[in-house]
Amino acid sequence: MDELREVTGTDLDDLTAFLTGADLTLSGLDAPEVALWIARDADGRIYASTGFEAGGDGRDVLLRSVAVRPDARRSGLGGRLAEYAVRRAAERGAERAWLFSRRSGPFWRKLGFAPADREEMARVLASTHQVRLFARTGQLAEEVAWSRRLG
């Protein structure tokens, strides 16, 4: 996706605002194990984001921050963003992608993801910011896990 570029420190405030509007997790956005990409419109506003957070051994990744501004939805962009993050994770050696989604199951199914065991996900991705946050706040018990083999 030509319009995507890797997030730098100067993007973090804008990305935080964008992800807050999308009701997505903000924990660890600036951590080195979190890889994020954004697309900006002609006015410099973020209209799309995607990324992943690698687990301890790098074989498992947590997809996160896959979001599209409302006026850019229904164009297939969300699927392309997710596939971009999956491809980049596989290039870095990941074998399985995981994610949390309570609202978008049909979207993730179309991309080859299947419901997964939340406890297994929490175990293999215990070092990630999002899993630690969800475990600490009790949100983990409310989440729906999804996963897909890569490659």
Side-chain angles (χ1 to χ4, degrees), residues 107-136:
F107 170 80
W108 293 108
R109 275 190 198 277
K110 284 193 293 187
L111 297 175
F113 284 81
D117 183 290
R118 179 180 51 237
E119 297 305 318
E120 179 186 3
M121 178 183 178
R123 183 181 50 76
V124 300
L125 291 169
S127 67
T128 63
H129 292 274
Q130 191 169 7
V131 168
R132 289 192 330 248
L133 172 67
F134 286 7
R136 185 174 68 248

Side-chain angles (χ1 to χ4, degrees), residues 24-74:
L24 293 178
T25 303
L26 307 175
S27 179
L29 293 178
D30 60 349
E33 60 276 7
V34 177
L36 297 165
W37 296 268
I38 57 171
R40 291 183 181 270
D41 63 18
D43 295 324
R45 294 175 304 177
I46 296 175
Y47 68 89
S49 66
T50 192
F52 65 86
E53 182 172 358
D57 63 8
R59 291 190 322 232
D60 293 276
V61 297
L62 177 64
L63 285 189
R64 54 182 296 182
S65 307
V66 179
V68 178
R69 195 170 62 199
D71 65 339
R73 292 182 185 151
R74 304 268 184 243

Side-chain angles (χ1 to χ4, degrees), residues 68-108:
V68 178
R69 195 170 62 199
D71 65 339
R73 292 182 185 151
R74 304 268 184 243
S75 65
L77 180 57
R80 292 192 309 274
L81 289 165
E83 290 298 337
Y84 182 87
V86 164
R87 190 171 51 256
R88 296 299 298 264
E91 288 169 0
R92 296 182 187 185
E95 298 171 4
R96 180 174 287 278
W98 302 79
L99 61 99
F100 290 115
S101 180
R102 286 177 281 168
R103 300 182 300 250
S104 304
F107 170 80
W108 293 108

